[in-house]
Amino acid sequence: MSGLQFFWFLLIGVLFSGFFFLEGFDYGVGMAVQSLAHNEEEKDQIVATIGPVWDGNEVWLLTAGGAMFASFPYWYATLFSGYYLILLIILFGLIIRGVSFEFRHKVPVEKKQRWNWTLSIGSCMVPFFLGVMFISMVQGMPIDANGNMSATFTDYINVFSVVGGVAVVLLTYLHGLNYISLKTEGPVRERARNYAQFLYWVLYLGLVVFAVLLFFMTDFFKLHAATTLITLVVIVLLTVIAHLAVFKRKEMTAFIASGLSLVSVVILLFQGLFPRVMISSLGSKYDLLIKDASSTPYTLKVMSIIAITLVPFVLAYTVWAYYIFRKRIKQPVIVTGENNGR
């Protein structure tokens, strides 16, 4: 394996980490529209917290997919063809979610509810099926010598992949609640804090189940015992830090810790994959390795120059955008006939 091959494997991991950190709270906020808000004004307040940034955050997923296509075409071919239906469901969730942002602001109040539900359902679908995809991938799929995947329903949907999907949904929801606490004022802020306090206890149980299944259903502890154990400990520590920060009303700390816990999950999966990009359940001889799945050295070199040149500008713009929209969102005052004109 060359240095450039390792660099691009690492970079794709970074792109997925950025996606889950940034888009993760977007999904949590979307789910909170129906589960946290009590009226349309509160729903508008919640949606306004991500209004300027949600579409920019989704670019991280597109960039990760594009980088995979250019740097590891064989990985891209096996993953996208084998998970065609799962990715189609994810795409459907992204579409209905994106459409709901636009339509809920344009339809009459009495028709808003359908688009609120569309937003929440789409925001739940995407992290769930991303969790299913990644967990089933590290568990191993029936991949032959030509890189073709011939999977059945239970290869995709099983106890471990469903637990992984639910865990990702819960992590993103908590990340969204922490973001709402950070970005709002009024009853919504306090309610988000109370929800998070309870749900972290549920997450602890989920992490225990996930760790047990990871031990029995993957080869992570066999091939990378030390790094896997360390990463799991980091995930638990970050979860505890976020939970304590919620109790102490340290909202920025809770938000950063919950985001880093999602990043740590990505790190756990990528370090377990290494030096593979796809694991075959038919035998290790059919595993797709980093060194065999990448583009030519010249392609990787040109792409590296472009990435090193452009990525700092993208990061700078992202930081600037969040700085510009850093203020808390207040719930709008309802103007009635009694105070109208005063």
Side-chain angles (χ1 to χ4, degrees):
M1 184 195 310
S2 70
L4 285 177
Q5 289 173 325
F6 176 75
F7 170 77
W8 276 96
F9 178 77
L10 184 64
L11 182 58
I12 291 172
V14 170
L15 290 171
F16 275 111
S17 297
F19 165 73
F20 277 105
F21 188 103
L22 296 174
E23 187 70 355
F25 69 76
D26 280 351
Y27 296 140
V29 169
M31 287 183 270
V33 168
Q34 286 297 90
S35 61
L36 184 68
H38 287 175
N39 52 56
E40 284 300 328
E41 287 73 29
E42 290 184 351
K43 292 175 184 180
D44 288 341
Q45 182 187 14
I46 289 174
V47 172
T49 62
I50 59 173
V53 298
W54 71 268
D55 47 355
N57 292 341
E58 285 190 352
V59 174
W60 286 80
L61 180 61
L62 299 176
T63 306
M68 185 184 294
F69 170 77
S71 59
F72 294 100
Y74 295 104
W75 184 10
Y76 179 91
T78 301
L79 178 66
F80 277 68
S81 60
Y83 285 96
Y84 184 84
L85 291 178
I86 298 291
L87 290 168
L88 183 62
I89 295 172
I90 292 172
L91 180 60
F92 177 74
L94 290 171
I95 291 172
I96 63 173
R97 181 173 174 272
V99 168
S100 66
F101 279 108
E102 302 298 329
F103 280 15
R104 70 178 305 278
H105 287 298
K106 300 182 184 298
V107 299
V109 175
E110 61 271 14
K111 295 183 178 180
K112 262 189 172 183
Q113 189 68 357
R114 72 182 64 171
W115 296 111
N116 291 332
W117 274 111
T118 303
L119 174 58
S120 290
I121 292 171
S123 297
C124 184
M125 285 175 58
V126 177
F128 176 77
F129 282 101
L130 281 173
V132 167
M133 184 182 75
F134 279 110
I135 296 304
S136 61
M137 187 174 76
V138 300
Q139 187 178 356
M141 298 294 282
I143 302 171
D144 62 22
N146 297 318
N148 298 317
M149 185 187 300
S150 302
T152 62
F153 179 80
T154 54
D155 291 314
Y156 298 111
I157 307 297
N158 51 65
V159 173
F160 190 25
S161 66
V162 170
V163 168
V166 172
V168 175
V169 169
L170 187 54
L171 284 166
T172 54
Y173 185 53
L174 281 164
H175 194 32
L177 292 176
N178 291 332
Y179 184 74
I180 291 170
S181 298
L182 182 66
K183 288 289 292 181
T184 61
E185 294 181 358
V188 166
R189 179 185 180 188
E190 192 63 28
R191 204 177 302 132
R193 175 176 170 271
N194 293 336
Y195 277 37
Q197 285 179 352
F198 169 75
L199 286 175
Y200 270 110
W201 295 111
V202 179
L203 181 60
Y204 293 138
L205 176 62
L207 289 176
V208 171
V209 174
F210 177 78
V212 171
L213 290 173
L214 188 74
F215 180 82
F216 288 105
M217 305 298 287
T218 72
D219 59 7
F220 283 23
F221 283 92
K222 179 181 178 182
L223 300 180
H224 310 285
T227 53
T228 299
L229 184 59
I230 291 171
T231 310
L232 284 172
V233 170
V234 169
I235 293 172
V236 173
L237 286 176
L238 287 169
T239 303
V240 172
I241 291 171
H243 197 185
L244 291 175
V246 170
F247 274 105
K248 295 180 178 180
R249 298 180 183 272
K250 295 182 178 180
E251 293 158 344
M252 179 61 79
T253 301
F255 171 69
I256 293 175
S258 61
L260 290 178
S261 64
L262 280 163
V263 171
S264 298
V265 172
V266 177
I267 293 173
L268 174 68
L269 300 180
F270 270 72
Q271 66 85 28
L273 276 175
F274 186 84
R276 307 159 294 186
V277 290
M278 294 293 291
I279 300 173
S280 175
S281 59
L282 302 180
S284 58
K285 63 181 179 180
Y286 298 132
D287 291 346
L288 187 59
L289 305 178
I290 294 174
K291 65 182 182 66
D292 299 323
S294 71
S295 298
T296 63
Y298 180 76
T299 300
L300 295 179
K301 180 180 179 180
V302 172
M303 288 173 53
S304 299
I305 295 172
I306 296 173
I308 293 171
T309 303
L310 296 181
V311 166
F313 292 98
V314 175
L315 294 177
Y317 172 78
T318 302
V319 172
W320 177 79
Y322 277 91
Y323 176 77
I324 292 297
F325 297 104
R326 67 188 181 278
K327 293 184 179 180
R328 291 183 182 271
I329 306 297
K330 299 179 180 179
Q331 184 174 337
V333 178
I334 303 175
V335 179
T336 64
E338 296 179 358
N339 58 20
N340 188 19
R342 294 184 180 181

